[in-house]
Amino acid sequence: GDFLPRFSMDVAFNFEYVPNVINATEVAEASSQKTDHVQNAHGSFATAVALATLKKAARVWDYSLANVEPLSTLTRVEHVPLGWSTAWRPHRDLSRLIQDKDIPILFYGTLTSRRKRTLQMLRSNDLPIFHANAQTDGTFAPALDALILSAAIVLDLKAFDSTKTREWKMPRLAKLLAAGAFVVSEGACGVEHQCAAYAEGVVFTDDLVETLQYYMERPVERARVAARGKAL
């Protein structure tokens, strides 16, 4: 009845957040379950079945420091923070060719129910938001880089409704910071002790309408914040 894979090597995996307290009994029972659910009740992808898979690993790497403690109750886990890579940067030819910021506000990402409602609310306030992958399964590589370079503002939205989520945004933000984008991110940066390092280079806000309206009219301020973000 145990359908989960067994690992002989390390597993590099990340959930944006893992519940602070993991139900060990639930995870143990999940080893013999199959499910189509990819999220748990709080919106995390760290379902019992997924955690049961990680429990079989010899070691797990996670880039969110907040996940290390709860995962340590299941398996051997190490914090491996995200770092600099040239792969984050747009191709230099794109950077040279694209000079105009003709997309006022760009959003890209999975259109969860929460994000759909947020976009509708923002558009009802006359904010011109372009959803990059609205008609596709995703926009990637040079096509995405071109859009990021063309955007005056890149919008990062929370994916889930639950107040218990601890969405760690660095995987979303790293590419944008390397591209020199000006980013407005909904809510805090995730886990409190990880906020300070990014606060100077990203605008975190709970009032999206007021913040977007403010920065749309202030290109000089946008450029200053974006420069600080690129230097992080």
Side-chain angles (χ1 to χ4, degrees):
D2 188 343
F3 76 96
L4 294 175
R6 295 187 179 279
F7 301 103
S8 57
M9 297 186 294
D10 298 345
V11 175
F13 200 88
N14 177 263
F15 306 107
E16 288 199 331
Y17 61 98
V18 170
N20 283 322
V21 178
I22 294 174
N23 187 324
T25 301
E26 186 180 80
V27 170
E29 292 173 349
S31 294
S32 59
Q33 297 173 0
K34 292 185 179 181
T35 179
D36 294 327
H37 297 296
V38 296
Q39 297 176 20
N40 63 22
H42 301 305
S44 170
F45 294 101
T47 63
V49 171
L51 292 173
T53 302
L54 295 192
K55 188 176 181 179
K56 295 178 180 295
R59 178 170 54 184
V60 174
W61 293 354
D62 194 299
Y63 54 67
S64 176
L65 188 60
N67 287 346
V68 171
E69 183 175 352
L71 284 176
S72 67
T73 65
L74 288 181
T75 186
R76 181 184 176 192
V77 59
E78 295 181 10
H79 180 222
V80 181
L82 292 174
W84 166 251
S85 170
T86 56
W88 292 123
R89 296 184 301 185
H91 193 280
R92 60 180 178 272
D93 288 343
L94 283 176
S95 299
R96 177 174 53 84
L97 292 171
I98 299 175
Q99 300 295 324
D100 296 329
K101 302 290 187 182
D102 51 9
I103 299 176
I105 305 172
L106 171 70
F107 168 72
Y108 65 92
T110 303
L111 191 63
T112 63
S113 296
R114 187 189 195 286
R115 285 174 168 173
K116 184 177 181 179
R117 294 194 304 271
T118 302
L119 289 176
Q120 290 172 340
M121 179 275 293
L122 294 174
R123 287 170 174 156
S124 71
N125 282 274
D126 298 323
L127 288 163
I129 300 173
F130 175 66
H131 183 190
N133 54 308
Q135 305 299 324
T136 67
D137 291 332
T139 303
F140 306 102
L144 178 58
D145 290 341
L147 292 173
I148 292 171
L149 291 170
S150 300
I153 299 172
V154 181
L155 179 61
D156 174 46
L157 295 177
K158 288 182 179 178
F160 308 116
D161 277 311
S162 175
T163 57
K164 296 182 180 181
T165 63
R166 306 189 318 278
E167 296 185 36
W168 178 218
K169 300 174 180 291
M170 196 55 204
R172 305 179 204 169
L173 301 181
K175 183 178 182 66
L176 299 174
L177 296 178
F182 172 77
V183 182
V184 171
S185 186
E186 183 184 15
C189 69
V191 183
E192 184 176 351
H193 62 266
Q194 297 180 127
C195 293
Y198 305 100
E200 294 298 315
V202 177
V203 176
F204 297 104
T205 182
D206 289 313
D207 190 338
L208 288 171
V209 173
E210 182 177 340
T211 302
L212 291 170
Q213 290 173 339
Y214 176 88
Y215 280 105
M216 281 183 65
E217 304 300 325
R218 291 168 172 81
V220 175
E221 288 189 42
R222 294 200 309 263
R224 289 173 182 162
V225 174
R228 292 196 296 265
K230 190 172 184 179
L232 288 173

